[in-house]
Structure formats: C-alpha cells, structure tokens
C-alpha cells in the first residue's frame, strides 16, 4: 500500500540524519514513539515530538530506556506502528526488550545512533562498535535485521525499509546509524506519498475460534492480531506453542527458536541489501558500512589512481550477514579490506564467509572520529601486493 | 476437611459450570499456584468484578510482569500479555496510549512492581496514566524461592535474609498516594467481597488506580516464618485486619505480625494523561492539533 500522506513531508530538504530518520518513521506510518534522551540520538524523537501532534499520534518520554523499549511493544499490540531511539548505554539497557520483541514476534524498530564506548564512552563522537551487540546482545538465540545507512537520504529511505521489513517478518529491526551519519546535514528528497510503498501489518483473516497466534504461514511468519479485536490472545516471553501458551518442552523450544532464526534466511541470500562498485575486475574489495563507507570511497579512488584494482562492497543490511554475496566474491578476489570504527567486529563475519579463500584485513579504529583514508589506502596497497 | 462434608456426597449436575470459567483459559488448568496461595482467590474476585462491572471483555486487557502473580495473564481469557520482569506498567502504557478504548489492567506481584519495576510505578502514577494496577503482595519473591523483597517486613526470615530482614520495607499504599494515584485501596485475600468491590470500582474509575492485596505464600513465607498454612493465614488476616476507610496511608505500614490496616484510602479526581496532553496541545496548536489516530489505518 502507499504511504499515508499525513506523515509524508514531501519536498527537497536540508536535514541531518537524525531528522531524516524521524521523517522516515512518519512516512512509514509510525504514529507512536517512546524515548529517553541520550546523545547523539535524541534529535530523532525531538523532531517526532514536534511533528506528531499535527500528524495524529503520540510521543511519550519514558522514565528510562527499559520503559521506552517495552512501551513501543505495548503500542504495537494495541495496533500502532512504533519505534524507539537510543545510543550507547541506552542500547545496552534495551537488550532485554529486543529479545522480547524477537521472541513475541512484535514488529517494531529500534534506532541506535552509535557513539564511542564502552560504558559512557564518547557521547558526542562516532563509533560502529555496537554491531556485534546488535546481533548477539540479548540472551538466547534469536533473529533481528540490522540496517546501516550512510547518509541522511538513506536515513529516510532505509527507515521506511526497516519498518516494512519489521512488518513482513515480524521482527525487531535495528537502524544502526552512527554519530556522523546522524549529525551530518545533506539534501534529503522526500517523494510524494503515493510513490512510497508501505508494508501493512499482516492481520489474520481467520475468525477468533480458528486463529492461533503463532501458527506460521509458509514463509514461517505468523499472522498478527491486535488487542481489543475479540481474539482473546495471549503473548508471553516464555517459550510458547502455536497457541501462544507457555510450553516448557524441548521439542517446542527447538521448533520455535529455529523458526525465529530461520525466517530471516532470505536476508543472508537474495534479500540482502548492499551496494557495489568496480567489482568486475577487483582484486581487493573494501567491505564497509555507515560513515566508514564514505571514507573508504576515497581510499578506493586513490587506489584506483595508483592502478590497483580495488572495488567497493557496502553493507546495507548487516544482519543477517549477506553471506551469499560475500561468498561469491571470496572465490575470485585476492583480499577483503574491512575498515570499521571498532576493534574488529563485522570483519569476523567476512572472514567466516571467506573461509580462507581470500585474505581478510581489518582496519580497526577505536572511534571518536573517522578513519584517515590514507590508512585504508595503505591496507589496500598491502593487500594487493 | 470436615467429616460432615465427606458423609454428604455432592453430585455435580451435568450442566454445572463455575460462573468464573468463561473468564479463564480452562485449557490451561490446572494452574501452577500452590495449595493455600492467595493469587487464585484474587483472580476469582477479579472475574466477579468483571462480571459485576459488565465490562466488554473484548476491550479488557491484562498485562503482567514476571513471578507467581505474573502468571495471571496466562490464565485470564482476555487479551493478555506476560511481559518482562518489572515492565508490565510501561508495556501497559504503550498499549493504552495506542488503543485508548481498552481497559488495561496491570496484574503483578510486589517484587515485580516495586523493586525492579518501582520506577515505572511511580512515573505512571505521576502521569495519572489510565491503568488499573492490582498488586498481589505476598511479601516475598515466591517464584524464585522466597527471597527478600521491597515489601518484606523487618525481622522476617527469607531465603536471602536467613538471619532476618533488617532493611525497612515500602509502605505500598503510601507510595502510591504520594506518587499521585487516583485510587488506592488495600485488602487481604480474606476480604473477598471488599476486594471484588474495589476491583469493580476501579474498572469504572478513570486514572491510575492501585489495589494492594495482602496474600499468603504458605510454601515459602509462612512456612519459613512458622506462621502456619493457608488456613492459619486466613485466621491471622481476620484477626489482625482493621478496616479503616480513608485512613492516612502514612499510618498503614505493615509489620511482620502487627495490625493490617485495610480499606479504601484514596479516591480522588486528577486529570488523566490523555486529557492533559489533549488540553496542552489544543492550547498551543489550536486547530492544527490532530487527535491521535495511533492505530495503523489498515487495521
């Protein structure tokens, strides 16, 4: 279906990534947000608080991140599209509720504008060091989708994509911005509402007596209901059977946890989002994401100017990791260079998929600023040798 | 059991049904609660309150946290949510704001609502969020084996206070009043009529309502403190309870073996969260304010 025009600020704008992300939530149909202030992410909900009363919806500032990250899930079961926004320490506090959303298959969006860590770290400065936490931070096995925009325009576009994926797969989607992308201001084009494709919630068409809350369809995703519609359903974070009832047996655990992970397999393969450039003849592929991909772009240009066959692979959907695409490259390139604003996180995934067929060279950085392109260039030169 | 009962066999009529059965998920029985536990009694009162209030059951949602009382959501034949530990109130806040036609009841225990969830309780009360909070206070963490909680009275023996509790406990009704609750009452599981009536009252009252129900945990609390079984606890409640409607909540603190002040302590009108939000937005935005249509249009 097309977007509800009430939330779409059609036009050409000059916005920072946080504000563009907010416009993305509104265009995607989010009418509920709960937040707790934390730098450098607060601008997303500040704008939402300003915009939503004239669009028609609710923003509530909760007492902490635990409250914000569960209030949005109450709102989702009440019928809303909803999201929360945080950074660093707040992201750590939200981990339990990312697990709850995964377990209860509550479609919702968490925006994390990454800053330097650990702990309070660098509140106003960038990092990309929450990438593994996004995937593994909550206890147990579960599936999430994580998206990494690298510009304000993409903060708008990908936020809509994120909401659509959340609805299609009934998963929490994590928008993994970084402080640079969140705070950089660029041109953002917001199209007409009818040009924006929005995935509606997949409500069951079955009557209450035939409906089972966690009966998966062929794509492994169950249909949804909302409170107040007469279904008298039960939602629990305990391991549950298809009725939604707690079931403490090994078979149910195995069946349900595997489904939570397996339903996202398309994102390892055909549905993975990425951007490539100059891969046809590439011997060295720079794999990067977020703000680092823009620094890497310069390094690739400099390498090409030196006659090195360097190419670009920009990860957009980081989780599930785009196995298939990296696998296809690993057999024919000499090396992967992986710069990221952390001491080595997604590089482990590249190495896992490359499985020894190509060299994998991390270019680490503890955060606080971006890489110097020369450092990435040096790694490319080294890799090409 | 008394012998006369045994000598008079009772034949269940074939079409007999307990009047509360339609409110319960009978396919989930038997429940997990221990013999003598008071939670089932409170659920019985709750179902009678729902019956008497003639609420549209499709529009009543129950939200629980974690713990023995947290399991209430799983047995209520309503839209029901068993959330994370301590977070029933913020979940309920989102649910209510997205779908204001729902009557949202938070049903949880003393540890869940007042230790790990204490911050949420005071803020929801401050906002006067339209939630009906029922706290079954068994004075301990029962699900995990009877540890000290924020409502455990001094000198009580618990799994984590083997030499006796020495830190002071919260007076839950005073806390609720101070934080801004519109309605505050306390009963014990001995006071089934009064409790059911209070529950019916809050179903019809707007704003943040709080009912504390003192309830036995014979398996852990009473046993460890040599206070007898479920029946002995009923006798204790009967003997030690004093009904003082309107009593200052500051005089209602609980002790291990002292008087239990019960009654309705607070019943006041404060503007609710939605009302305040709407008034403020109308004042500042005028005609530009669009009343919330939170639910997605395709619903």
């Amino acid at each position: 279906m097309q977007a509800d025009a009430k939330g779409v600020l059609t036009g050409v704008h000059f916005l920072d990534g946080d504000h563009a992300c907010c416009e993305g939530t509104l265009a995607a149909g989010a009418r509920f947000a709960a937040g707790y202030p934390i730098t450098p992410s607060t601008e997303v909900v500040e704008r939402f608080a300003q915009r939503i009363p004239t669009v028609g919806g609710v923003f509530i500032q909760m007492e902490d991140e635990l409250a914000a990250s569960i209030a949005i899930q109450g709102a989702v079961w009440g019928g809303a599209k909803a999201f929360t926004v945080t950074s660093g320490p707040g992201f750590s506090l939200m981990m339990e509720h990312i697990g709850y959303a995964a377990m209860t298959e509550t479609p919702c969006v968490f925006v994390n504008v990454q800053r330097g860590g650990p702990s309070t770290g660098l509140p106003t400065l960038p990092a990309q060091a929450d990438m593994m936490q996004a995937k593994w931070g909550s206890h147990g096995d579960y599936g999430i989708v994580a998206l990494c925009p690298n510009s304000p325009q993409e903060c708008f576009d990908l936020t809509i994509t994120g909401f659509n994926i959340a609805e299609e797969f009934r998963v929490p989607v994590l928008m993994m911005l970084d402080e640079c992308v969140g705070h950089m201001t660029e041109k953002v084009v917001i199209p007409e509402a009818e040009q924006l494709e929005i995935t509606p919630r997949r409500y069951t068409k079955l009557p209450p007596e035939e409906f089972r809350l966690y009966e998966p369809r062929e794509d492994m995703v169950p249909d949804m209901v909302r409170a107040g519609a007469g279904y008298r359903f039960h939602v629990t974070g305990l391991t549950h059977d298809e009725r939604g009832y707690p079931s403490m047996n090994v078979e149910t655990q195995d069946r349900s946890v595997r489904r939570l992970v397996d339903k996202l397999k398309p994102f390892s393969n055909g549905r993975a989002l990425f951007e490539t450039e100059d891969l046809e003849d590439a011997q060295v592929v720079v794999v990067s994401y977020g703000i680092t991909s823009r620094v890497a772009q310069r390094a690739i240009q400099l390498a090409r100017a030196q006659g090195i066959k360097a190419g670009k692979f920009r990860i957009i959907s980081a989780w599930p990791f785009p196995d298939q695409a990296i696998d296809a490259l690993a057999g024919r390139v000499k090396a992967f260079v992986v710069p990221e604003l952390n001491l080595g996180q997604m590089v482990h995934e590249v190495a896992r998929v490359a499985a020894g067929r190509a060299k994998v060279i991390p270019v680490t950085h503890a955060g606080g600023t971006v890489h110097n392109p020369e450092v990435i260039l040096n790694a490319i030169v080294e890799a090409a040798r | 059991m008394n012998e006369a009962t045994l000598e008079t066999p009772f034949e269940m009529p074939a079409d007999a049904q307990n009047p509360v059965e339609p409110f319960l998920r009978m396919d989930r029985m038997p429940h997990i609660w221990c013999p003598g536990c008071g939670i089932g009694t409170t659920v019985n009162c709750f179902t009678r309150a729902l019956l008497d209030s003639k609420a549209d059951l499709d529009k009543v949602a129950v939200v629980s946290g974690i713990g023995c009382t947290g399991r209430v959501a799983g047995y209520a034949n309503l839209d029901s949510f068993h959330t994370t530990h301590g977070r029933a109130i913020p979940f309920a806040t989102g649910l209510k704001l997205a779908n204001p036609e729902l009557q949202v009841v938070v049903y949880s225990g003393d540890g869940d609502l007042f230790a790990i969830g204490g911050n949420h309780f005071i803020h929801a009360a401050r906002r006067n969020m339209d939630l009906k909070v029922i706290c079954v206070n068994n004075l301990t963490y029962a699900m995990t084996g009877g540890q000290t909680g924020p409502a455990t009275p001094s000198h009580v023996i618990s799994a984590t206070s083997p030499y006796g509790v020495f830190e002071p406990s919260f007076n839950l009704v005073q806390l609720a009043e101070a934080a801004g609750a519109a309605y505050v009452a306390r009963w014990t599981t001995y006071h089934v009529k009064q409790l059911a009536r209070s529950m019916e009252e809050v179903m019809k009252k707007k704003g943040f309502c709080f009912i504390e129900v003192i309830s036995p945990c014979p398996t852990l609390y009473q046993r460890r403190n040599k206070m007898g079984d479920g029946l002995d606890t009923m006798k204790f409640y009967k003997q030690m309870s004093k009904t003082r409607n309107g009593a200052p909540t500051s005089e209602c603190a609980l002790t291990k073996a002292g008087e239990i002040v019960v009654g309705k302590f607070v019943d006041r009108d404060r503007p609710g969260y939605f009302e305040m939000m709407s008034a403020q937005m109308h004042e500042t935005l005028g005609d530009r304010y669009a009343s919330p249509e939170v639910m997605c249009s395709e619903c």
Side-chain angles (χ1 to χ4, degrees), chain A residues 8 14 54 98 110 115 136 164 168 182 197 202 222 231 244 246 248 269 290 297 328 333 357 377:
Chain A
V8 183
F14 193 50
T54 57
I98 289 173
F110 292 76
R115 65 191 227 185
W136 303 107
N164 288 348
E168 183 180 349
E197 189 58 31
R202 301 205 302 195
Y231 283 81
M248 302 297 108
N269 306 320
Q297 186 84 27
V333 304
R357 288 171 293 168
L377 175 66

Side-chain angles (χ1 to χ4, degrees), chain A residues 34-37 60-68 70-71 93, chain B residues 86-87 89-91 93 117-127 129:
Chain A
Y36 184 82
I60 182 166
Q61 185 174 319
M62 296 301 287
E63 51 275 11
D64 59 29
E65 286 90 347
L66 287 146
I70 197 75
L93 288 174
Chain B
R87 319 304 169 194
I89 285 177
F91 183 99
T93 296
N119 197 28
H120 310 310
F121 181 91
I122 58 175
H123 286 282
R126 169 178 69 80
R127 296 183 181 112
M129 196 58 68

Side-chain angles (χ1 to χ4, degrees), chain A residues 276-288 296-297 299-301 303-304 306-314 326 329-330 332-339 350 358-363 375-385:
Chain A
T276 62
E277 216 170 280
D278 294 333
L279 288 188
E280 296 72 26
D281 63 343
Q283 290 189 319
V284 178
V285 175
V286 181
V287 180
S288 61
Q297 186 84 27
I300 294 165
Q301 282 169 6
R304 282 269 165 186
Q306 291 185 19
I308 298 171
K309 287 174 180 165
K312 170 172 105 174
F313 187 99
R314 175 164 76 91
I326 296 292
L329 288 170
R332 67 176 175 85
V333 304
K334 202 168 171 183
F336 293 104
V337 169
V338 189
V350 179
K359 275 194 289 183
V360 177
I361 300 164
V363 186
V375 176
I376 302 173
L377 175 66
N378 292 344
I380 297 171
V381 171
E382 191 67 26
R385 245 178 223 151

